[in-house]
Amino acid sequence: MKRSEVNEIIRESDRFIRSFGFVMPPFAYWSPEEMRIRVKDDSAAIHSARLGWDITDYGQGRFDELGLFLFTVRNGQTEDLKRGTGMLYAEKIMISRENQLSPMHRHVMKAEDIINRGGAKLVLEMFSSKADGSIDEEGDVVVACDGRIKRLSAGGRLALDPGESVTLMPGNWHAFWGEGGDVLIGEVSTVNDDLTDNIFREPIGRFSDVEDDVPPLHLLVSDYDKWLA
């Protein structure tokens, strides 16, 4: 992806998010230079917890078809999760555009509530896992939707209207997209680790390769190791 495209996606996404009354935290709007200064002063946790903007085309160069916008608002540390005490949770705000696929994947450790916060329908395609973690092409999928248990056949699709949610446990394979328009998505989960906890069905990357044709408006979490070193 070109940085100019990333910058425009950030602007468009911020407007879309604000249209639903959700306001991003102050650090969302720091310039790259302010971010560099702050993380060396009082804001090191933004870097270590990888909070902030995250725009991915999964390394495939087709963002409109295969991609996702995310912003990690808060996140604990993996060490706390292992100890079972401390900040064991995370929160994201995401946007899935109409017919924009977030590809089939599962998590090893993370349990998550995926919430339709507004816009169009959010559609999820789901499978269970076999004992070895691979996709179970035959077994039913059992999930909780706002406290109600739902059973789907393998590869079944679940459509969530605004206000509805689904709880996905580790091992629940899922892909999702917006149907009928763009969707604002909330994610509330256990500690999030996008570097090691995403297992994709296809051999694709989690992050985008960004070509800096213009300076960054704001840094992406995938920029941190390079720009904040």
Side-chain angles (χ1 to χ4, degrees):
M1 299 181 72
K2 292 184 180 296
R3 183 71 67 173
S4 54
E5 179 185 7
V6 169
N7 288 349
E8 185 56 31
I9 292 169
I10 288 175
R11 294 186 184 100
E12 292 173 352
S13 299
D14 187 44
R15 287 193 293 267
F16 186 73
I17 290 167
R18 284 180 176 271
S19 74
F20 292 94
F22 189 100
V23 180
M24 305 288 261
F27 71 85
Y29 304 106
W30 292 350
S31 67
E33 182 57 31
E34 185 173 9
M35 179 70 79
R36 277 195 290 262
I37 294 170
R38 294 275 193 147
V39 298
K40 293 178 181 178
D41 183 16
D42 62 357
S43 304
I46 292 173
H47 184 193
S48 63
R50 301 180 71 82
L51 309 181
W53 304 95
D54 183 0
I55 295 165
T56 183
D57 64 357
Y58 301 98
Q60 304 303 299
R62 298 180 287 118
F63 178 77
D64 289 341
E65 303 171 31
L66 184 71
L68 187 64
F69 165 88
L70 313 92
F71 188 98
T72 302
V73 181
R74 66 198 85 249
N75 191 22
Q77 299 289 339
T78 303
E79 291 75 15
D80 288 341
L81 192 61
K82 291 176 180 177
R83 286 194 299 266
T85 184
M87 187 176 179
L88 309 181
Y89 56 89
E91 179 189 7
K92 291 182 180 180
I93 194 78
M94 306 185 292
I95 300 170
S96 188
R97 297 184 176 188
E98 183 174 13
N99 298 324
Q100 182 189 46
L101 178 66
S102 186
M104 188 65 64
H105 66 287
R106 66 173 175 85
H107 303 293
V108 179
M109 296 291 295
K110 185 172 73 171
E112 56 187 340
D113 278 9
I114 301 296
I115 310 151
N116 186 333
R117 293 292 192 193
K121 287 183 181 292
L122 177 65
V123 179
L124 298 95
E125 180 182 5
M126 290 184 287
F127 293 89
S128 293
S129 291
K130 294 181 180 179
D132 64 359
S134 63
I135 289 179
D136 186 343
E137 300 280 359
E138 299 180 358
D140 287 351
V141 181
V142 180
V143 292
C145 295
D146 302 303
R148 299 179 59 200
I149 300 300
K150 292 196 175 183
R151 183 180 295 272
L152 305 172
S153 59
R157 294 182 177 182
L158 176 69
L160 300 177
D161 287 317
E164 295 183 324
S165 70
V166 60
T167 300
L168 302 176
M169 302 303 291
N172 284 143
W173 287 91
H174 55 289
F176 56 87
W177 59 90
E179 183 176 275
D182 298 346
V183 186
L184 184 67
I185 306 169
E187 178 184 303
V188 178
S189 73
T190 49
V191 172
N192 178 79
D193 179 4
D194 280 320
L195 294 175
T196 65
D197 197 43
N198 296 288
I199 309 297
F200 292 97
R201 177 171 60 184
E202 305 297 335
I204 60 175
R206 168 59 179 82
F207 298 102
S208 298
D209 294 321
V210 178
E211 176 187 339
D212 285 313
D213 59 328
V214 298
L217 177 65
H218 305 295
L219 295 182
L220 303 177
V221 294
S222 55
D223 291 323
Y224 288 173
D225 291 344
K226 173 183 176 181
W227 287 75
L228 303 180

